[in-house]
Amino acid sequence: MIKGYLQRKASWEILLKVSSGIYSDHALEKVLKNYEFNSLDIAFITELSFGCIRYRKFLDLWIDHTSKLSHTKQPPKLRWLLHIGLYQLLKMDKIPFSAAISSTVEVAKKTDLKGLAGTVNAILRNTVRHIEKEHVPKISSDEIERLSSLESLPIWLVKEIVNWVGIKEAKNIAKAFNKKPSIDLRINSLKTDLNKFLNELSECNINATAISQLKNGIALNSNPRSIKKLPGYSDGLWVVQDRSSQWVAPLLNPKKGEKILDACSAPGSKTTHLAQLANDDAEILAVDRSEKRLKILQSNLERLNIKSVKTLKADATNLVDIQPNLISYFDKILIDAPCSGIGTFARNPDSRWSLSKDKINQLILLQERLLESVLPLLKRNGTLVYSTCTICPEENNFLIKRFLTKNKEIKLDSEKQILPKFDEPGDGFYAAKISYK
């Protein structure tokens, strides 16, 4: 068996699952269950498969450049395998060309693509010749089209981002979408403290550091084989939560004895954060319309041993109708709204290909309904925080501005937009803090 064959085969299988509609992180998890890879192998497979997903458009350009058939005419299984080979040749500097080609061709030989193994070999070898001669695909000189091609983003989205932040910032954001995301944890302060847990990780030879400006944030500096096998998982000492997301719950400043609503709660990282900040001594109602996602939240509550949260399967836009007793009931409300997720493209590489302007417009309507429906549940002296993991202003500050204009009795206390940055870790996030005048 050629060295590295299994890692390439697993990466290709992840691409096949993603192309069938499975989310990239779920595809990775499903495929890895069928193998016994070490942590270095898993890091390689994650980079290779997720890199191929991120750079789909860029890799298709190279197929069109080096093959007699365009990427649109390639059988899908062949197209994804060519991406596996091309990504190694074009984006992974430490992989020798010969190893990239031989291991990728071996996948074709040992699967139902064996009849096309010669085609894979020819296209990849032709690519090497083009690389060595610096003969690259022709790319438009137009800045937007060039950014779309080189950073592999749908052109409609590049146009939107440039419209939002300008071409210079758009280039930085596009590069940030294609970097390896950080793995961040939030310490469960109900059970441990940051320094104690850092020492525990160090004793297990796990490289981790505290995240500045976060009270309980830790960054893992290496990729674990299984996040659930890290020290403290079964004891509920931590949860996985991006550093930008960890900034949201403290905006509500939850206190002991307060009544708090998390209107779109599952899978629960912010719900459990609210409980933690209130020392597990508030009355927290976690609402979500997905029973499956609520089960994940319930599992997290049990693992973290949090008692102050009750869950309710319901659509938050209907809460006033189904439970009118909750009108003017809550001291604090969090609406972590369903959104386009553009701020998390580095973490969710497949999202860029499934998103559309129509989907964003539908989400905006939902976000507006959520705000209008949930506001009556807030006490007159209460606080509401609206948050998203997107950088789209129509879902964020523009939406909040319209909401304030329509509801003259409320005011904006603060708002903040975090943009993804190539040279800094963390997702893109937005939050607005609102209260009655």
Side-chain angles (χ1 to χ4, degrees), residues 314-325:
D315 187 331
T317 61
N318 295 327
L319 269 181
V320 169
D321 298 324
I322 62 175
Q323 294 206 21
N325 57 303

Side-chain angles (χ1 to χ4, degrees), residues 38-51:
N38 61 35
S39 58
L40 289 177
D41 287 335
I42 290 171
F44 173 83
I45 292 164
T46 303
E47 179 184 351
L48 178 53
S49 58
F50 281 31

Side-chain angles (χ1 to χ4, degrees), residues 234-252:
S234 58
D235 295 325
L237 301 187
W238 52 266
V239 294
V240 177
Q241 188 177 16
D242 181 79
R243 63 191 66 197
S244 297
S245 175
Q246 291 185 45
W247 154 75
V248 174
L251 292 174
L252 275 173

